[in-house]
Amino acid sequence: MLRIKRSLLLFLVVTICNNVLFAQKEGTYTLESPNSEIVVDVNIGEDISWTVTNRSQKIIAPSRIAMTLENGEELGDSPEVRDSEKKEVNTTIDAINYKKDVIENYYNQLTLKFNQDYGLIFRAYNSGVAYRFTTNKNKEITIVSEEANFNFPEDHMIYIPYANDPANDVYQISFENLYQHIPLSEINKDTVAFAPVLVELPSGMKAAITEADLESYPGMFLKAGEKDFSLKGEFTGYPLEEEQGGHNGLQSFVTKRADYIAKTSGTRHFPWRVVIISNEDRELLNNDMVYILASAPRLDDTSWIEPGKVAWDWWNDWNISGVDFPAGINTETYKYYTDFAAENNIENILLDEGWAPRGEILNTIPEIDLDEIISYAEGKNVGVWLWSGYLPLAQNMDKALATYSEMGVKGLKVDFMNRDDQKMVDFYYNLSEKAAEHKLMLDFHGAYKPTGLQRTFPNVVNFEGVRGLENTKWSNTDFPLYDTQIPFIRMLAGPMDYTPGAMKNASKANFRAINSAPMSQGTRVHQLALYVLYEAPFNMLADNPTNYKKEPESTEFIASVPTTFDETIALDGKVGEYAAIARRKGDIWYVGAITNWNARDLEMDLSFLPEGEYEAVIFKDGINADREATDYKREVINVKSGDQLDVHLANGGGWAARIYPAQ
């Protein structure tokens, strides 16, 4: 009898197919998505390989799957299937602090069990496929390597972010590099890339490769495979020796790695290898596979977790003005940030780097009276978050969590991990669990891409792993291009702390990277739209309160946009060109659209609105926004379901709206 654990599921339908087989050495097992468009074939011969097709178009050509243990045992070599089982699952998941409140969880699953006490689980969704290893051994095992191959039938174009210059340690990175748009055949064979990557396929299809439910195991990098037009997984060796270093000594650099990638329990499920498949680009803007594939929540009580926005100090270099005290990292400045937050319904303030002495976490600098700041903020119903470098927190985790929780701190922004080997992945889980015990939320910076940890531990409310707005302080990166790539690629993995909100906006010709007086590339409305477009349960206002006070219309719109939603609809988009999304919270809809440096006209279809009369507060690029990027126009109009609005996006432009029932 199949036993289903009841957790957050509203209903569950499971169909078990009578597919139990006698042990056999060869055979092909076929699994279809619920809509029958995606087909997975698992071939069992001298080894194990899989292929994937979508609408009869081959996506993944035969690709070998294997895992090698320390004793030379190779899971996947001369496999013998002991039994197999198919099932259909059609249920829903109640999401926590997500882009929708209920997620459809509809898939077909194939489980293969082999004679060497291991297995493989394959799933086929209407939006992609995934597989994972399982083992059932009665002792700890050492994983020497895993073979995860993704062979493509042709020389497709790929969006791929290389990890680092191959002359450096490619495995110690911030996971913020830009995408190269190149043929598979031109992938640099001397380095690795990090997931997600996105492959362009015929007929407008796309395939993104990433992973989910990464726990007590190294993250999967990708590199050129042995065959033409292929990618293969690359996994970091376990750290044996480390030394302190990096920015202000906050990082731990691996100086010696083991010849194995993980030591782990012999009875477990391993991370999912995921291929997300779309027929149109816009489908990538609203995909749930990584969240669905993650382990279920491990917290019984999540009522204390309060995602929201935060007035942030670091990007704007504490450059407030019009006050009678010296601006900087001091108590008076953070009271000013608190007043701004309270006046504009911003839920939190953040004390970023500098509030504690360099390399410490249990003390404050003389200019900071943390008790006074927290007490003042509590009196105004504003939460206080603290920034921490990785190493000081790792060395003082228990005491730091207990101390700051008792003081009334709401959460920690943790920075400069810059690795995803097994030891670092264990740190994420250990910190997440212990922080939850102290009712502390977490925002991971210097972080690898999300793999679903935010579902397992909902107190994790955001991740960086993205080249965010902070880079405009020192880089001439083409941000409007990057901004229109990441919602189709990086955001597939989960939320991203991009930190939008610049009030100083520049055209391509006028942009300058200025560290202490930063500006954004693209228009003002481009920045406003990012609050709707990008998933970020913990979302920062990057500019300083003085600038926001000078721009009350923009500030009011930013403050009005929730950070979690009840429903998300992907409206339109094309990778690297433009994107448009609608999200609902209660009966209010929020719409955001952005473009790259090319101006364009869109038709905004409001068919997603229920029947009724609505008012829409609209922000659109001003007539001169191509020259003066701060130029915008705000208007209030009446709309209804089915209306088609003509939308013009200036170079690097945007469009944003809040739509609510008419009174």
Side-chain angles (χ1 to χ4, degrees), residues 22 106 115 305 402 477 556 589:
F22 295 106
Y106 190 14
N115 282 338
I305 301 170
T477 295
E556 188 277 333
W589 287 86

Side-chain angles (χ1 to χ4, degrees), residues 103-400:
I103 303 171
E104 179 186 72
N105 188 27
Y106 190 14
Y107 62 88
N108 291 324
Q109 178 169 294
L110 167 67
T111 301
L112 299 176
K113 296 181 180 179
F114 299 89
N115 282 338
Q116 292 170 277
D117 295 324
Y118 74 96
L120 281 165
I121 301 173
F122 293 84
R123 286 188 185 175
Y125 296 82
N126 290 336
S127 58
V129 298
Y131 77 85
R132 75 190 316 178
F133 271 100
T134 65
T135 52
N136 188 28
K137 299 179 183 290
N138 58 11
K139 61 180 181 179
E140 183 182 79
I141 58 176
T142 299
I143 311 299
V144 173
S145 64
E146 179 185 343
E147 191 170 343
N149 292 291
F150 305 90
N151 300 330
F152 292 90
E154 299 176 26
D155 194 11
H156 303 307
M157 297 292 289
I158 183 173
Y159 291 89
I160 185 168
Y162 292 128
N164 259 339
D165 186 311
N168 299 317
D169 186 339
V170 296
Y171 304 113
Q172 302 199 144
I173 59 169
S174 61
F175 300 90
E176 298 179 22
N177 291 4
L178 301 175
Y179 298 101
Q180 305 294 314
H181 189 208
I182 57 176
L184 285 163
S185 60
E186 294 182 11
I187 292 176
N188 187 341
K189 294 179 171 57
D190 296 324
T191 189
V192 299
F194 54 88
V197 300
L198 184 67
V199 179
E200 296 180 341
L201 303 166
S203 303
M205 296 180 190
K206 300 285 193 301
I209 299 171
T210 192
E211 61 184 331
D213 209 23
L214 174 63
E215 182 173 4
S216 196
Y217 201 80
M220 181 178 68
F221 288 86
L222 293 161
K223 66 184 301 184
E226 305 302 328
K227 296 186 176 182
D228 292 337
F229 324 136
S230 69
L231 296 166
K232 68 176 182 179
E234 178 86 356
F235 302 90
T236 314
Y238 189 86
L240 295 178
E241 297 177 4
E242 302 175 50
E243 65 179 23
Q244 184 174 353
H247 175 72
N248 288 338
L250 298 171
Q251 297 170 243
S252 184
F253 288 98
V254 178
T255 57
K256 183 179 180 181
R257 303 183 193 275
D259 58 0
Y260 58 85
I261 63 174
K263 286 184 179 291
T264 187
S265 169
T267 301
R268 64 164 292 180
H269 291 72
F270 289 84
W272 291 101
R273 309 295 163 224
V274 184
V275 180
I276 295 169
I277 299 169
S278 69
N279 296 307
E280 300 178 19
D281 286 10
R282 67 181 179 88
E283 296 170 11
L284 298 170
L285 298 172
N286 189 22
N287 186 283
D288 303 305
M289 280 189 64
V290 170
Y291 190 94
I292 291 171
L293 291 166
S295 293
R298 296 177 187 172
L299 306 183
D300 294 329
D301 176 21
T302 61
S303 61
W304 56 273
I305 301 170
E306 298 177 339
K309 289 181 289 295
V310 54
W312 184 36
D313 53 359
W314 182 87
W315 185 79
N316 57 74
D317 203 19
W318 300 267
N319 280 327
I320 59 177
S321 59
V323 296
D324 56 4
F325 56 85
I329 306 175
N330 57 53
T331 300
E332 289 303 315
T333 295
Y334 287 110
K335 285 185 174 181
Y336 181 85
Y337 275 80
T338 299
D339 290 340
F340 164 73
E343 291 164 4
N344 292 277
N345 298 313
I346 307 301
E347 295 89 343
N348 305 282
I349 65 167
L350 170 67
L351 280 64
D352 211 288
E353 184 176 14
W355 66 271
R358 180 173 295 186
E360 296 187 35
I361 190 175
L362 293 171
N363 298 298
T364 63
I365 62 173
E367 295 83 359
I368 290 290
D369 186 330
L370 191 54
D371 280 316
E372 183 177 347
I373 292 170
I374 293 172
S375 176
Y376 187 80
E378 285 179 345
K380 298 198 172 233
N381 198 30
V382 173
V384 174
W385 280 62
L386 300 177
W387 178 95
S388 171
Y390 156 70
L391 196 56
L393 180 59
Q395 293 170 337
N396 301 278
M397 185 185 297
D398 292 332
K399 188 173 183 179

Side-chain angles (χ1 to χ4, degrees), residues 563-574:
T563 62
T564 62
F565 298 88
D566 299 327
E567 184 178 359
T568 289
I569 296 176
L571 298 177
D572 201 0
K574 188 171 178 58

